[in-house]
Amino acid sequence: MKTVYANDYSRFINCAESIDICRVFPLSVAEKYQSGSIYETQNCILIRHRNNFTFISGKPADDEIKEIHELILLEKLKFMCNDNSLSQKLADLGGVELIPRDSYRFAANTAPEVHIPEGFELRNIDNELFDTITGAVAPSLYWDSFEQFSKYGTGVCIMNGNKAASWAFTSAVSRDEADIGIETAKVFQHRGLAYTAAAAVIHEILPYRRPMWTCQRSNPGSARTAEKLGFVKCGEYLLIRKNN
């Protein structure tokens, strides 16, 4: 599997556009908004985002499937796939788990209203917050630096005093779309803060880019928040990763 040099990434924009699940992530790499890697084989192209979300264009041969499987195990690729045959072949090689996920697109033309609950305030994600926000979905997991994030992305954090309660940000951006990453600190969950943070980010994204949303099917709370905001489900796929 050949690793493509970054100055050749634009050659793979059409490949990224042909991917029919979460294409904002592979496009963000091919269009050089965010970092990642592109791998080229005889039969397919792999595009790997900084956060390890990895997408395929083409039909890999059996030996190439084994190479993908090795990357999942050795480099912890999070391989996104809506090809049942390919998913099964990777599962048969062992050591991986298949996690159902759904993707959503924003169907409205205007952002929902933002209402900040009493005792909280809205703050743009600045250099300090970029470095200090931690969790499963944090800006620093998707962007190389605050400089890169501030140039191409956007995000907000709902603060409770000096505590980050809930945050939403563009986890992937392409020329036309932006995926929203969101998380709420455990102690502040079930207060509607995720909705408020995401609504504020949608205001920043529109009308320049179409907001997108992805979540695991085992997270119905995220799906409900997306639908309440005005997102509609547009795809199903599997995340294939190393078995924990």
Side-chain angles (χ1 to χ4, degrees):
M1 190 171 291
K2 176 185 174 183
T3 301
V4 177
Y5 290 111
N7 57 6
D8 285 337
Y9 281 7
S10 60
R11 184 162 58 92
F12 297 91
I13 290 176
N14 288 340
C15 288
E17 288 177 339
S18 72
I19 295 169
D20 57 2
I21 51 170
C22 309
R23 67 169 56 90
V24 61
F25 282 92
L27 274 171
S28 73
V29 176
E31 293 176 346
K32 296 187 179 180
Y33 288 106
Q34 290 167 280
S35 63
S37 302
I38 298 179
Y39 308 96
E40 187 175 20
T41 73
Q42 182 176 351
N43 298 290
C44 64
I45 304 296
L46 290 184
I47 304 180
R48 175 183 183 179
H49 190 271
R50 170 182 163 78
N51 77 328
N52 270 345
F53 283 179
T54 304
F55 302 81
I56 189 168
S57 173
K59 295 287 185 181
D62 286 345
D63 60 329
E64 294 165 341
I65 293 173
K66 290 180 180 178
E67 287 188 81
I68 295 169
H69 181 260
E70 288 178 3
L71 286 173
I72 294 171
L73 296 185
L74 297 178
E75 299 192 18
K76 297 185 178 179
L77 258 63
K78 300 172 183 176
F79 186 70
M80 308 299 194
C81 186
N82 61 353
D83 182 327
N84 291 334
S85 175
L86 175 55
S87 299
Q88 188 59 55
K89 288 178 180 179
L90 288 168
D92 289 344
L93 290 170
V96 300
E97 58 180 338
L98 279 58
I99 301 170
R101 290 178 62 92
D102 298 316
S103 56
Y104 296 79
R105 63 175 179 82
F106 192 66
N109 292 316
T110 57
E113 293 185 10
V114 178
H115 299 287
I116 311 300
E118 186 176 352
F120 295 88
E121 63 176 354
L122 195 66
R123 176 177 164 185
N124 289 332
I125 294 178
D126 54 18
N127 202 342
E128 178 187 1
L129 285 173
F130 182 89
D131 290 334
T132 58
I133 288 174
T134 59
V137 185
S140 59
L141 299 176
Y142 294 80
W143 297 88
D144 290 344
S145 64
F146 175 72
E147 288 71 26
Q148 184 192 50
F149 172 72
S150 62
K151 183 176 181 179
Y152 297 120
T154 188
V156 301
C157 185
I158 298 177
M159 305 294 296
N160 179 246
N162 62 356
K163 296 180 180 178
S166 184
W167 49 92
F169 62 95
T170 49
S171 54
V173 297
S174 68
R175 184 181 63 248
D176 299 322
E177 295 179 338
D179 183 81
I180 297 176
I182 189 161
E183 188 170 8
T184 301
K186 190 172 182 179
V187 68
F188 295 106
Q189 291 177 358
H190 310 299
R191 303 190 194 188
L193 298 180
Y195 176 95
T196 300
V201 169
I202 292 171
H203 272 274
E204 297 291 328
I205 294 171
L206 289 176
Y208 311 105
R209 292 181 170 98
R210 175 63 55 185
M212 305 298 290
W213 187 286
T214 64
C215 62
Q216 292 185 187
R217 206 166 299 156
S218 60
N219 187 357
S222 180
R224 286 194 296 268
T225 299
E227 291 167 354
K228 186 178 178 182
L229 286 161
F231 288 86
V232 296
K233 185 175 173 179
C234 61
E236 300 180 352
Y237 59 100
L238 294 171
L239 184 157
I240 305 173
R241 69 183 183 190
K242 183 178 180 180
N243 206 342
N244 293 326

